[in-house]
Amino acid sequence: MDTGAKKLRVGWYSFTCCEDSTILFTELLNTHWDEWKDKIEFVDARVLKTKGEMKNLDIVFIEGAIAGTEQIAKLKKIRENTKVLVAIGACAVTAMPSGWRNTFTPEQKQEIQFLVDRFSHLPKVEPLSAFVKVDEIVSGCPMDEGTFLKVLNKYIT
Ligand code: SF4
């Protein structure tokens, strides 16, 4: 039953990563749907609906590291449209393991430079916090479920 109470407007985004935390998130939805359906509105989450709206978000969860200039622009746009930004998983928090190329030798870096140039990739893969303010972090690879639930519950009214 919809109680009519204001729902938390939620977004879920993925950048460079394997998206395993997204899979974990959808599994959590199966378990917690009854408890969340009157409290949360998934406004922008490609995994749940094809057409989202990045506007007036209360909280966003972002997995993955930032590897290219277009991603920086999108990340900044997300930041402008949300009250709370949560980095999800090791890649978003530390850039690793998705940022493996950061550990390449100069010779290896030379070999992949044409790809870096072609796709406007950054010289180094970076965590979210290199470009925007991060309010909460959920570490783990994939994310730690318990910490995720704790962070979400903190903002559910
Ligand atoms: S933190 Fe681990 S599970 Fe999450 S995107 Fe990165 S590699 Fe995949």
Side-chain angles (χ1 to χ4, degrees), residues 4-21:
K6 191 181 171 299
K7 292 181 181 178
L8 193 70
R9 288 173 61 83
V10 174
W12 182 282
Y13 302 95
S14 299
F15 286 105
T16 299
C17 68
C18 71
E19 303 199 6
D20 272 10
S21 292

Side-chain angles (χ1 to χ4, degrees), residues 53-74:
E53 188 192 29
M54 191 196 291
K55 224 168 123 189
N56 295 330
L57 296 161
D58 293 311
I59 186 165
V60 300
F61 300 96
I62 306 179
E63 72 169 341
I66 302 299
T69 47
E70 278 181 20
Q71 292 182 340
I72 299 175
K74 182 171 179 189

